[in-house]
Amino acid sequence: MNKAILGFSKLSKEEKIKWIVKEYFSDSSEAITLLKNYWNSDEKIQKLHDEFIENTISNFYIPLGVAPNFLINGKYKSIPMAIEESSVVAAASKAAKFWSTRGGFKATVINTEKIGQVHFIFKGDESKLALFFAQTKSRFLEDTENITKNMKKRGGGILDIILKDKTNLLPNYYQLYATFDTKDSMGANFINSCLEQFAKTLKIEASNYEIFSEDEKNIEVVMSILSNYVPNCVVRAEVSCPVDLLVEKHIPNPKEFAKKFIQAIQIAEIEPYRAVTHNKGIMNGIDAVVLATGNDFRAVEAGIHAYASRNGSYSSLSHAKIENDIFTFWMEVPLALGTVGGLTSLHPLAKFSLEILENPSAKELMQFVAVAGLAQNFAALRSLTTSGIQEGHMKMHLNNILNQFKATEEESVLIRRHFKHHAVSHNAVVDYIENLRKQF
Ligand code: MEV
């Protein structure tokens, strides 16, 4: 097909499906059956999902798993994770168990400030603008009182607004730079509503400001939007134990292990190619919990990667050291999360995940998410610096290969038995299945 369709969003769901399958599928009834197989049998639940976005035609499943035995600040937690990558939940569970007998994870929220900006163009005298802002600052707060009323009752609200002169970077470019505390909500709607009101106030007040010339009165607002970069909304997660206590079946020489583990981190600290993959492993844990709890993983990803580059070069989020024979492994990450509002209460499984976490505050969720990221990083580095990553990964991936080849129950039992004692590789499994099938 090489033509546009007009008014697609206005079609009914059935009409949209009809159009899609007619345009892109040779067997339209098979395609329709596939889409409908993924509909929820409960019409109400399906309608809820249909309405999350525009043009919904079906649901796209991702497994929801649970990694138990996370000892965090002295309390056991089971962590829900929504992720498709085969080894992630297994790795998290393994790391959780490992650290549960070595003091567990410690997590602390360092700060919780969020940021929003009104980006605007002012052509005129900067000192007059600064005076205007000083004289009208309280007006910005008054004009947003309707929006901030409830948030203030919950102990949050606008923390401050400042004027930023960015004209050295872009001619005539200024910002109203505002900071917020949004308590247990992620706060995107709250922040954006405040900012849009600031923009209105800015324009109105400027147009009536007598000291301004006609040009100066005409402030151009370019946009008003929160920033997903939240370097002052940071949580720290940490594990530590005497080096000798790192010993276990796969770590016969803990000193050697700790040394190599720290070297692996040092490489990620100074080498961006490695840092990206290192941090990707951390994001395996972070994204999975963020997604399971109905939070915005794209916002979290963007903010965290910006934070990883804050010193001018992309670097490791995690760090490790040995001091006085104590091995310490830690990470600080910015996380703007919510446990009320948005999808958190709307998506039944997000709500369910939050219940597994015993309905945490946003601060507690920040801690659990950071811990999941650190655990994932520990599991990855432990494998990478000892047996290599493929052994565990391919063991988990075996299921995917069996499904790809539509292995029967009997075949699966035989294949699993064989690969308990043999290295799993795609080719080895395919060869084994083919041989098996030749025999029967
Ligand atoms: C795979 O999803 C993640 C790893 O590549 C992370 C890492 O290399 O540290 C194993």
Side-chain angles (χ1 to χ4, degrees):
M1 97 114 196
N2 188 21
K3 60 180 187 314
I5 173 168
L6 291 177
F8 184 73
S9 67
K10 306 272 181 317
L11 300 179
S12 70
K13 186 171 163 185
E14 292 283 352
E15 287 167 338
K16 283 172 191 155
I17 290 174
K18 237 191 220 161
W19 186 83
I20 288 285
V21 297
K22 188 170 113 302
E23 292 295 326
Y24 299 105
F25 293 85
S26 50
D27 186 341
S28 50
S29 72
E30 192 186 346
I32 291 176
T33 306
L34 177 71
L35 284 181
K36 293 194 173 176
N37 277 345
Y38 281 85
W39 286 7
N40 198 293
S41 55
D42 181 329
E43 274 181 29
K44 264 200 193 143
I45 293 182
Q46 187 51 54
K47 188 163 178 293
L48 183 74
H49 285 75
D50 286 353
E51 290 174 1
F52 284 155
I53 60 165
E54 193 168 77
N55 299 342
T56 309
I57 53 175
S58 191
N59 307 307
F60 192 95
Y61 290 180
I62 284 188
L64 175 66
V66 175
N69 300 322
F70 268 95
L71 185 60
I72 305 175
N73 295 340
K75 272 172 106 180
Y76 275 102
K77 289 281 163 194
S78 296
I79 297 199
M81 303 177 92
I83 188 148
E84 86 302 342
E85 190 174 325
S86 31
S87 53
V88 169
V89 177
S93 308
K94 237 168 126 181
K97 207 160 160 217
F98 180 91
W99 282 105
S100 70
T101 54
R102 292 165 178 84
F105 293 83
K106 310 270 179 305
T108 340
V109 171
I110 296 171
N111 40 29
T112 56
E113 179 189 280
K114 289 163 190 163
I115 293 158
Q117 297 158 313
V118 177
H119 305 268
F120 67 94
I121 302 295
F122 171 77
K123 292 181 186 144
D125 182 341
E126 194 272 329
S127 62
K128 280 204 246 168
L129 182 66
L131 185 66
F132 160 77
F133 179 70
Q135 288 175 349
T136 40
K137 184 169 171 177
S138 58
R139 197 64 212 241
F140 290 101
L141 300 174
E142 281 156 30
D143 287 358
T144 44
E145 259 165 18
N146 257 346
I147 308 167
T148 55
K149 208 168 46 200
N150 286 340
M151 188 61 85
K152 275 189 194 154
K153 276 189 206 146
R154 284 156 43 199
I158 300 163
L159 299 176
D160 198 8
I161 318 173
I162 57 171
L163 173 71
K164 283 199 177 186
D165 179 348
K166 295 272 173 178
T167 51
N168 59 330
L169 299 172
L170 193 68
N172 309 316
Y173 169 41
Y174 294 86
Q175 292 173 1
L176 291 183
Y177 178 99
T179 45
F180 301 85
D181 181 350
T182 59
K183 290 293 159 191
D184 284 332
S185 67
M186 192 272 188
N189 282 332
F190 170 75
I191 294 174
N192 289 336
S193 301
C194 289
L195 294 171
E196 290 190 1
Q197 181 56 53
F198 293 163
K200 281 186 198 147
T201 303
L202 178 67
K203 277 196 76 79
I204 293 170
E205 294 297 321
S207 68
N208 294 324
Y209 194 60
E210 284 180 358
I211 300 169
F212 279 161
S213 68
E214 281 315 301
D215 266 359
E216 288 169 334
K217 283 182 179 172
N218 190 22
I219 281 180
E220 290 166 45
V221 171
V222 181
M223 58 191 160
S224 312
I225 186 75
L226 92 172
S227 173
N228 290 125
Y229 185 42
V230 283
N232 292 326
C233 187
V234 170
V235 56
R236 179 186 166 100
E238 177 185 311
V239 282
S240 67
C241 72
V243 173
D244 288 344
L245 280 192
L246 290 168
V247 73
E248 57 130 42
K249 199 167 106 200
H250 302 288
I251 307 177
N253 184 340
K255 277 195 183 64
E256 188 59 30
F257 169 77
K259 188 178 125 220
K260 220 170 153 189
F261 191 96
I262 291 172
Q263 282 168 341
I265 293 202
Q266 286 167 340
I267 291 170
E269 283 169 344
I270 52 104
E271 163 55 55
Y273 281 91
R274 172 57 202 151
V276 170
T277 317
H278 178 96
N279 290 348
K280 187 274 182 186
I282 293 173
M283 298 316 292
N284 278 344
I286 290 185
D287 280 345
V289 192
V290 170
L291 192 56
T293 54
N295 277 279
D296 180 346
F297 64 92
R298 285 89 53 211
V300 165
E301 282 272 351
I304 288 185
H305 294 302
Y307 190 76
S309 318
R310 69 194 179 286
N311 297 324
S313 155
Y314 191 88
S315 177
S316 169
L317 291 162
S318 62
H319 309 280
K321 64 177 180 188
I322 298 173
E323 252 172 37
N324 304 325
D325 284 332
I326 303 287
F327 170 81
T328 307
F329 172 47
W330 77 96
M331 173 175 84
E332 284 176 12
V333 275
L335 282 171
L337 301 175
T339 53
V340 298
L343 221 60
T344 55
S345 42
L346 213 54
H347 194 303
L349 284 178
K351 202 162 168 257
F352 178 87
S353 296
L354 287 167
E355 272 181 54
I356 295 181
L357 291 170
E358 298 170 279
N359 295 317
S361 64
K363 279 185 176 176
E364 286 167 327
L365 184 60
M366 285 168 78
Q367 296 176 359
F368 304 153
V369 169
V371 163
L374 191 74
Q376 210 61 45
N377 192 214
F378 179 78
L381 292 182
R382 177 166 78 167
S383 299
L384 286 167
T385 56
T386 55
S387 59
I389 204 75
Q390 282 309 86
E391 188 184 291
H393 186 77
M394 289 310 288
K395 256 188 201 147
M396 294 304 299
H397 190 56
L398 181 59
N399 285 339
N400 292 344
I401 306 175
L402 295 182
N403 285 331
Q404 189 188 341
F405 282 86
K406 298 193 168 49
T408 63
E409 265 312 301
E410 284 144 339
E411 285 173 337
S412 297
V413 170
L414 291 172
I415 295 165
R416 282 210 179 87
R417 193 175 299 155
H418 175 82
F419 282 101
K420 249 192 181 156
H421 310 290
H422 295 84
V424 182
S425 75
H426 192 84
N427 284 347
V429 179
V430 173
D431 286 350
Y432 193 82
I433 295 178
E434 281 174 0
N435 273 333
L436 210 67
R437 286 181 177 167
K438 270 188 215 144
Q439 287 170 33
F440 294 104

